[in-house]
Amino acid sequence: MKPLLIALALILAAPLPAHAHPRDPRDLRELAQRHGIKVGSAVDVAALRAEADYRKVLNREFNHVTAENAMKWESVEPQRGVYTWADADAVVENARRNRQQVRGHTLVWHNQLPAWLTSGVADGSIDAAELRSILRDHITTQVGRYKGKIRAWDVVNEVVEEDGTLRQNIWLTHLGPGYIADAFRWAHRADPRAKLFINDYNLEWNQPKIETTLSIVKDLQSQGVPIHGVGFQGHLGIQYDYPGDWANVMRRFADLGLEIAVTELDVRMVLPVTPDKLATQADYYRRALTDCVSVKACKELTLWGYTDRHSWVPGWFEGEGSACVMDENLAPKPAYHALLTVPRQRR
Ligand code: 9MR
């Protein structure tokens, strides 16, 4: 044989490394397809309306979306009885046109409540009985409005403190711990097909929070309350260790029959950005997706925004930023490419 042919034969005969895929996905939609999961992003409605490039990349890359702020109570009912659905509708309508499923965020939370509600509770003009009916109406109205259009709802958000006690919010204080079960029941009544989630941050690693959240889920299940999933927000930072036990934590919830979602993934860093930090960040993103796809019940991984042009991080953590997979110009960062290389798992 001619040397050239020998070389060719050798190349063709060489086995692919075990993890190799014929071709890595081209974008996040293809990545979602490879793994059989949804890959989502939080949506900034102002950007969705005003920025054609933001809109184009959002709709190209993602098959799932969450309104970053537009479905929160202060956004949808800024004055009592005055509903402002335009922004939330815009997210849902854009999703429909672009074959994206939607996570509803969020029905019961302690933040971004309208002032009429918090001040009414504070000055005593809204008593406990009225507060309970206000919450029921809110859930019924909002879930009912989007019936059939929201795949999954974050029904309760951040209801456990870091020390594992129930969060002292207006709901616990005035309605008692039963507000959690009530919220799930009301949401289920308004849209029986929507998947109903409990959602929290630091649940990736915080032991007291994990144990309490597990016992909330078991308690709800034992009462026959419809709860279908747990959301791990996944707000990570490279200055902290990666939560190495995360996949095991996911499995503990999956063992209760819950669907798992990573609902708000981002990986911040202390500025300035360096190539080393970007490489570490890429590794954190890669590991988060790897953890999700190693657990059969993990069906969604959503980024809390996909571009550093619109990220909550710089406004909340002084001196930190660059938490997303694309930069301000929507250029993919190493983290974006790292996600694309995660091999498919048999699960
Ligand atoms: O990203 C959201 C930011 O624009 C808001 O100002 C902030 C107000 O509380 O909420 C941010 O989103 C939060 C989410 O709703 C719940 N988990 C934590 C997120 C980051 O703070």
Side-chain angles (χ1 to χ4, degrees), residues 86-322:
D87 286 358
D89 285 357
V91 173
V92 172
E93 177 53 21
N94 181 73
R96 189 190 59 74
R97 277 192 262 117
N98 292 282
R99 294 170 291 108
Q100 294 161 330
Q101 289 181 292
V102 183
R103 169 169 292 272
H105 177 80
T106 173
L107 297 170
V108 188
W109 196 24
H110 60 279
N111 273 337
Q112 291 177 286
L113 292 169
W116 61 264
L117 178 62
T118 48
S119 61
V121 170
D123 68 20
S125 60
I126 296 175
D127 68 11
E130 191 179 1
L131 184 64
R132 187 164 185 273
S133 76
I134 288 172
L135 182 61
R136 189 189 54 223
D137 290 350
H138 168 67
I139 292 174
T140 305
T141 305
Q142 186 158 4
V143 177
R145 179 177 183 86
Y146 297 112
K147 185 176 178 191
K149 297 179 175 170
I150 301 254
R151 186 186 77 83
W153 272 104
D154 293 332
V155 176
V156 297
N157 191 37
E158 304 173 1
V159 295
V160 181
E161 307 270 13
E162 297 307 280
D163 67 0
T165 58
L166 286 186
R167 184 184 291 275
Q168 293 293 334
N169 56 29
I170 62 168
W171 313 112
L172 183 68
T173 309
H174 298 275
L175 310 181
Y179 81 88
I180 296 178
D182 285 340
F184 279 92
R185 289 196 177 103
W186 292 328
H188 186 63
R189 216 167 289 159
D191 186 353
R193 297 172 74 162
K195 300 229 169 156
L196 305 183
F197 278 65
I198 184 170
N199 190 49
D200 216 328
Y201 62 89
N202 291 353
L203 191 59
E204 303 82 32
W205 55 267
N206 181 315
Q207 214 50 47
K209 201 175 246 199
I210 292 165
E211 299 306 331
T212 301
T213 306
L214 283 164
S215 60
I216 291 173
V217 171
K218 288 183 206 159
D219 185 53
L220 293 173
Q221 290 177 328
S222 74
Q223 297 176 66
V225 175
I227 176 166
H228 311 112
V230 61
F232 295 83
Q233 292 184 3
H235 292 295
L236 310 181
I238 61 165
Q239 65 273 40
Y240 314 108
D241 287 343
Y242 181 84
D245 208 36
W246 193 1
N248 287 324
V249 180
M250 289 182 185
R251 267 181 223 110
R252 292 185 68 193
F253 284 92
D255 287 346
L256 298 178
L258 293 194
E259 180 180 323
I260 312 296
V262 178
T263 53
E264 306 181 13
L265 183 64
D266 54 15
V267 183
R268 59 188 188 268
M269 62 182 68
V270 174
L271 300 174
V273 177
T274 67
D276 272 2
K277 289 182 196 170
L278 289 176
T280 306
Q281 176 186 55
D283 201 47
Y284 279 42
Y285 270 100
R286 182 190 61 72
R287 291 180 73 176
L289 176 60
T290 302
D291 283 342
C292 171
V293 299
S294 72
V295 178
K296 189 169 193 299
C298 188
K299 303 269 170 64
E300 174 196 334
L301 181 138
T302 289
L303 312 179
W304 206 238
Y306 72 87
T307 164
D308 293 332
R309 191 193 290 170
H310 301 291
S311 164
W312 70 296
V313 168
W316 285 70
F317 302 97
E318 216 191 310
E320 296 180 42
S322 190

